[in-house]
Amino acid sequence: MRSRWAGAAAFAAVVTLACTGSGCAVISTGGSPASLLEVGEGDPLSVPFQRMVAIEPQASWTPEQVAKGLQAAMASFDDPRREILRRYLTPEAQRTWKPGGPVTVLEDGVRFVSPSKGDGKTATVVLEGTEIAVIDDDGRYVPARKKTIRSFDLVKGADGGYLVSRLDNGLVLTAADVRRAYRPVNLYFLNGTADTDGVGSLVVDPVRLRIDPHRTFAETIVERLLGGPSTALKGAVNTAFPTGTRVESIKPLEDVVVINLAGDFSDRPADSALAAQLQWSLRDVAKGRTIEVKLNGEPFYDSGTLQISPKEFDNWVPAPDETVYYVADGRVHMMNKAGTGATVAGTAGQKKNDTYTDPALSAGGRFLAVKAGENGIWGSQVGSDAPWKEWIKGTDLTSPTWNMDGSLWVVDRTAPNASQVIRYDKDDPVPQTPIKAADLESTWVDRFEVARDGVRVAAVVRHDDGMSVQVGAIVGTGATQRLDHFQTLLTTVEKKQERVLDLAWRDAAHLLVLVGSKAGATVMEVSIGDGKVTPVTSDKRITSITALGERMLAGTADDEEAEVLEFDGTKREWETKAEGGRWPAFSLG
């Protein structure tokens, strides 16, 4: 196997690796700051990966080679105590340098340059590159894009070779390093709700976890799950695992994965919630096998084992109703997946006036909210003949959006740079509650959507130089509830005449964003896990979108020839589903 690592050195090592069972033979035929080994193929609870083997500095290396070797050693997870990495440092630098904290991720193709030749005893090497993200200690991947420069001061050691005497704290990895050393993982936590049958709801927490070659990846996942949610969901979700729970072992059998936990379970949690978190967090590595949970080496229960079948808790991430709702001729209509349409029953399907826009349906399509002009949100129970009622009155309101708990959310733009988030609970004596959202209150919020998981929210915010799409979380309950942990995922540029026209949650981990420009409208898919933006399709006609999994529908703006369109992913084209219709929407979407 011949491998080349772009950030390690000018010449790459050639390494041959043969693995049979758990034994591996390594034959090195070259020397450089790092070598690559491919391992993990035969481990049923792990993932294949390339192992970066750090190489200690050589006396013959130039300052640039030493700096490259040091950065290469940062990418080696085969050296958890950083023993080889520290051999690149002077004794003083070893005492002061700290590897912890967020990991800086640079775009591939970094440059190591020496601004001056030095005096033969000292030298400075500068790393130049583009920072694209940081990985927090809890695994949260935060996208960023900016030029970065890092300096390494070097001095000659006793053997005549250079050592680094000063460098900034923290690890610096390239994107290629991250692809080798980390894997994206979806952890699952509880949103705190449960229906009358005891079925709860899970919230996904996408993280990046570093591979440990000395343990299965399943152990890494469960250990991280026990550590609680990332900062993106801190205070917004719960876990069924008691504080202090730890992983003793995870062993694969023919059809079963046995997880042995340790800890104090005297106040036993809801076993179904614990099991649901494990099933969903391990589904990619368990590969359809039953999970058996033990406690301190003994059966989980006094009376027997806790076993989790592969699909037992699939309903904890429920599949929403695929009925599509839209407005046509002043009435709200519904359309099933087959394309059969009908007017919504009751008052909701009766024509009131032509100002109704942006219909929003609660879970199961039970309640309907529409926007009427700029300052009013009106509501009705689907199937009821009770008259429409003005639920929310404001200055300049966004479109309404429902939470899975039955609350209705909207943002009131009270001034050009002032926005107030409002939660409406139709059954409460005082139904309208202002919600604190420090990141949004001094801005103009153009769009606002609650995710179907009932925890995350997405907002489109205007700036002087464009617009941004931000994702945050609903933290706390009752009077202390707030919106927090906002992170910018996509920005538009005013001078390019780009603007965000609409957005919709495709699923718990992906947003669809409709971006308009002089060339037309483009649908972008944005991953909340790593901020990756992927163009989906473009069309000059569309002005609104809605989505549910692989299904994506759009509305057009032309009053004379309004249409509801659905995107055919196979044909890569839009098909007309309802002539005269506008503002299509799924429930909770």
Side-chain angles (χ1 to χ4, degrees), residues 150-364:
R150 292 210 175 199
S151 295
F152 301 85
D153 292 338
L154 299 94
V155 298
K156 277 205 170 181
D159 64 351
Y162 282 98
L163 295 174
V164 175
S165 60
R166 189 198 62 81
L167 73 163
D168 295 332
N169 289 329
L171 300 178
V172 181
L173 304 181
T174 66
D177 294 333
V178 172
R179 288 192 295 270
R180 277 188 291 268
Y182 288 79
R183 291 293 180 269
V185 172
N186 287 332
L187 303 176
Y188 286 85
F189 296 93
L190 311 169
N191 76 348
T193 64
D195 62 23
T196 55
D197 295 324
V199 176
S201 182
L202 296 174
V203 181
V204 66
D205 192 4
V207 295
R208 297 289 180 98
L209 299 184
R210 190 165 180 137
I211 293 169
D212 184 343
H214 305 295
R215 66 194 311 190
T216 68
F217 197 56
E219 290 178 276
T220 299
I221 293 172
V222 176
E223 184 177 81
R224 177 61 193 83
L225 179 67
L226 298 178
S230 72
T231 50
L233 294 176
K234 186 177 181 180
V237 293
N238 303 313
T239 182
F241 295 93
T243 301
T245 305
R246 61 187 186 277
V247 183
E248 287 293 303
S249 64
I250 297 182
K251 296 180 180 179
L253 302 178
E254 185 174 355
D255 298 314
V256 180
V257 177
V258 180
I259 301 176
N260 183 26
L261 301 178
D264 183 5
F265 280 66
S266 54
D267 294 328
R268 187 173 294 282
D271 299 337
S272 59
L274 178 151
Q277 285 185 256
L278 283 173
Q279 180 203 305
W280 277 90
S281 299
L282 287 174
R283 60 196 299 120
D284 289 339
V285 294
K287 301 185 184 303
R289 285 176 290 182
T290 296
I291 297 172
E292 179 181 324
V293 183
K294 289 188 175 183
L295 184 57
N296 300 314
E298 301 294 333
F300 192 78
Y301 303 112
D302 292 338
S303 58
T305 61
L306 169 60
Q307 288 197 329
I308 310 167
S309 63
K311 296 183 177 294
E312 185 173 351
F313 295 96
D314 280 6
N315 59 344
W316 282 53
V317 179
D321 179 17
E322 293 199 52
T323 302
V324 178
Y325 299 85
Y326 61 95
V327 175
D329 192 29
R331 297 178 174 87
V332 178
H333 297 251
M334 57 192 296
M335 178 172 55
N336 61 23
K337 189 175 181 179
T340 303
T343 305
V344 171
T347 303
Q350 298 172 12
K351 184 171 182 177
K352 183 175 186 293
N353 55 53
D354 292 326
T355 65
Y356 279 1
T357 65
D358 302 279
L361 276 295
S362 67

Side-chain angles (χ1 to χ4, degrees), residues 437-477:
D439 294 279
L440 305 181
E441 290 168 359
S442 60
T443 65
W444 176 278
V445 177
D446 208 70
R447 296 284 190 276
F448 182 80
E449 291 288 339
V450 178
R452 292 187 181 95
D453 61 21
V455 170
R456 284 192 172 86
V457 298
V460 178
V461 175
R462 288 189 192 176
H463 306 287
D464 292 338
D465 56 351
M467 305 172 82
S468 65
V469 176
Q470 302 180 12
V471 171
I474 302 172
V475 177
T477 58

Side-chain angles (χ1 to χ4, degrees), residues 10 66 110 212 253 275 314 366 378 381 446 463 506 526 556:
V66 173
V110 298
D212 184 343
L253 302 178
D314 280 6
R366 293 182 59 204
W378 289 68
Q381 181 173 347
D446 208 70
H463 306 287
R506 165 164 269 180
V526 184
T556 64

